[in-house]
Amino acid sequence: MKHIRVILASNSPRRRELLEQIGIRPEVRPSGIEERVTSRTPEEMVMELSLQKAEDVAAQAPAETLILGADTVVAVDGEILGKPGSHEDAERMIRRIQGRRHQVYTGVTMIRKGQGGSRGITFAEKTDVSVYPMTEAEIKAYAGSEEPMDKAGAYGIQGTFASYIQGICGDYNNVVGLPVGRVWQEWKRLTEEAEDEYDD
């Protein structure tokens, strides 16, 4: 992947930074598709949305390109928490996750466009996150800041909310927005399968 043109179908600076951390400098081309969700579970939902984004961008991408789409949600007791629409919404979400454990799901779709066609893979990664109990003043202060406004679940684990993180079980980078370790492993498998086809 480090030697092929990579297009990130997302304008998330965190996902771009995570790819750059492992030596991949993607071209950022966010999808403009209207998201349509038919899935009921968080895991299926993020996979469905990542596929929609990747396919939308892949339709206009040239051959010999890898397109990566991703979507992240936070879930608590089965309730999906997306990005807050207001500071009041952020406060409601923080109130739901403080003092307990929740799940972060990121769906990833990678499509490799070759000269003879395309190959792709879609998967989801889950990380459990435990949050310390927070006071009313702490909830209101954090929810009233700008940090939670563009983040699923209304918090950024890599920001000031780190002071409330009790622990995680799973991939930390998945909570940031992209499980780059698994992305790299799945990409290697996708590449090997494509090379086996060419050899045949």
Side-chain angles (χ1 to χ4, degrees):
M1 187 154 52
K2 296 177 183 178
H3 306 293
I4 188 173
R5 180 181 181 187
V6 177
I7 296 176
L8 177 60
S10 166
N11 60 6
S12 165
R14 293 169 293 280
R15 293 192 180 116
R16 187 193 72 241
E17 289 165 4
L18 285 168
L19 287 172
E20 290 176 348
Q21 182 180 328
I22 62 169
I24 298 162
R25 299 198 173 275
E27 174 185 335
V28 176
R29 192 183 299 181
S31 167
I33 196 169
E34 181 180 345
E35 298 177 356
R36 299 180 184 278
V37 179
T38 60
S39 304
R40 292 179 178 266
T41 69
E43 186 173 23
E44 292 173 347
M45 177 178 154
V46 291
M47 287 195 293
E48 182 178 10
L49 290 173
S50 75
L51 179 62
Q52 290 177 18
K53 294 175 183 179
E55 287 183 335
D56 177 50
V57 173
Q60 306 298 325
E64 301 308 323
T65 304
L66 176 83
I67 300 90
L68 190 152
D71 193 81
T72 301
V73 298
V74 168
V76 57
D77 292 339
E79 179 189 356
I80 295 172
L81 306 180
K83 296 177 182 178
S86 65
H87 290 287
E88 291 74 22
D89 198 22
E91 185 176 325
R92 178 188 67 83
M93 292 184 186
I94 297 300
R95 206 178 300 282
R96 290 281 285 122
I97 65 172
Q98 65 88 26
R100 55 175 309 175
R101 183 171 64 179
H102 64 272
Q103 291 70 47
V104 178
Y105 294 86
T106 298
V108 179
T109 295
M110 292 184 288
I111 300 173
R112 179 178 177 173
K113 290 190 72 172
Q115 297 294 344
S118 299
R119 293 183 65 86
I121 187 168
T122 299
F123 64 87
E125 188 78 13
K126 181 187 85 166
T127 302
D128 290 316
V129 181
S130 297
V131 180
Y132 282 111
M134 298 171 64
T135 66
E136 276 296 304
E138 288 172 333
I139 292 171
K140 289 182 178 295
Y142 184 77
S145 71
E146 290 308 309
E147 185 173 293
M149 299 313 295
D150 65 338
K151 298 173 181 67
Y155 76 92
I157 195 170
Q158 74 282 14
T160 60
F161 199 77
S163 57
Y164 304 115
I165 300 297
Q166 186 173 16
I168 69 168
C169 181
D171 185 349
Y172 170 86
N173 289 324
N174 186 54
V175 185
V176 179
L178 192 66
V180 287
R182 185 163 178 195
V183 164
W184 181 249
Q185 298 304 314
E186 298 288 356
W187 162 247
K188 287 195 298 184
R189 189 156 63 88
L190 190 62
T191 301
E192 287 165 4
E193 290 173 359
E195 287 174 351
D196 287 343
E197 273 192 4
Y198 296 147
D199 292 340
D200 293 343

